[in-house]
């Protein structure tokens, strides 16, 4: 296994690092890396990429935590249905999924069609960061939800019930019992979504 990893994983990585250090004139140096870290164009691309990743991660967390909580607290057929619903975006072809979002977010799509029917001004959701963010949250949501749901399922519900019995309000029981014990899943899901 070590030999396999050395040949097919570490070897190509070292080869790529060597090629990336080679300058156009044949000398070896960090010229390309320094350029990528100092050029305003590349800095703007880095900033936009990190901002988009952070926004998608936050959106997936805000939408995913309640869904993960519902999965963790449900049983039987309902639980299976909820898991199927959250995994569905991963089962759909990227072209079909993209076309579906175009139908919903487009200028004459479902949302703008509804706004026209109500005689309200239409909004441009498809062309811009908002549309990209929505579609990426849709695709990344399963990674966040499943990570958090697995952490929530490991929490003993007797702890929460004991807190409620001792006079804690539901929000206090969530804040002091459930939330701290689900942070492992939140961190895992956040890292997965942000890196993807």
């Amino acid at each position: 296994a070590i030999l396999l990893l050395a040949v097919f994983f570490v070897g190509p990585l070292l080869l790529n690092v060597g090629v990336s250090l080679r300058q156009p004139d044949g000398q070896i140096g960090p010229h390309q890396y320094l350029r990528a870290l100092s050029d305003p164009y590349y800095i703007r691309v880095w900033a936009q990429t990190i901002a988009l990743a952070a926004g998608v991660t936050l959106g997936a967390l805000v939408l995913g935590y309640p869904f993960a909580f519902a999965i963790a607290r449900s049983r039987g057929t309902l639980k299976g249905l909820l898991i199927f619903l959250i995994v569905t975006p991963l089962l759909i072809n990227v072209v079909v999924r993209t076309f579906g979002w175009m139908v919903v977010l487009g200028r004459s799509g479902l949302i703008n069609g509804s706004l026209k029917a109500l005689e309200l001004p239409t909004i441009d959701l498809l062309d811009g960061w908002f549309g990209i963010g929505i579609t990426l949250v849709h695709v990344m949501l399963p990674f966040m939800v499943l990570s958090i749901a697995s952490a929530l399922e490991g929490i003993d519900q007797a702890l929460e019930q004991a807190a409620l019995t001792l006079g804690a309000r539901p929000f206090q029981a969530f804040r002091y019992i459930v939330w701290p014990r689900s942070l492992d899943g939140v961190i895992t899901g956040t890292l997965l979504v942000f890196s993807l």
Side-chain angles (χ1 to χ4, degrees):
I2 292 172
L3 181 62
L4 184 74
L5 282 175
V7 171
F8 292 106
F9 183 71
V10 176
L13 284 177
L14 291 175
L15 184 65
N16 282 337
V17 168
V19 170
S20 72
L21 290 173
R22 188 169 297 130
Q23 296 180 19
D25 60 3
Q27 295 180 356
I28 302 289
H31 173 72
Q32 304 298 344
Y33 291 100
L34 294 175
R35 180 177 165 211
L37 295 173
S38 62
D39 189 323
Y41 173 76
Y42 290 117
I43 291 171
R44 190 172 72 247
V45 170
W46 280 92
Q48 288 177 346
T49 302
I50 290 170
L52 179 64
V56 169
T57 302
L58 182 64
L61 178 60
V62 168
L63 293 174
Y65 199 97
F67 205 95
F69 195 82
I71 288 174
R73 295 298 165 96
S74 61
R75 300 283 176 257
T77 307
L78 178 60
K79 184 173 193 158
L81 179 64
L82 290 175
I83 291 173
F84 175 75
L85 285 175
I86 202 62
V87 175
T88 301
L90 300 176
L91 303 174
I92 299 172
N93 184 302
V94 67
V95 174
V96 174
R97 188 172 52 231
T98 304
F99 183 73
W101 278 111
M102 288 173 65
V103 168
V104 173
L105 300 175
R107 287 186 183 89
S108 58
L110 180 66
I111 294 174
N112 279 327
S114 300
L115 290 173
K116 283 180 186 176
L118 296 171
E119 297 181 2
L120 295 171
T122 60
I123 50 179
D124 186 14
L125 297 172
L126 191 59
D127 302 325
W129 291 106
F130 185 74
I132 294 169
I134 287 175
T135 55
L136 283 174
V137 167
H138 177 237
V139 174
M140 298 298 156
L141 201 57
F143 299 103
M144 183 69 76
V145 169
L146 296 176
S147 298
I148 296 171
S150 66
L152 287 170
E153 286 177 349
I155 299 172
D156 186 5
Q157 290 187 17
L159 294 171
E160 190 177 355
Q161 291 171 357
L164 294 171
T165 302
L166 292 171
R169 294 187 187 100
F171 178 74
Q172 290 173 322
F174 173 79
R175 181 178 174 201
Y176 293 110
I177 305 293
V178 177
W179 175 252
R181 286 167 177 76
S182 67
L183 281 179
D184 288 343
V186 169
I187 292 169
T188 302
T190 299
L191 290 174
L192 277 171
V193 171
F194 188 85
S195 63
L196 287 172

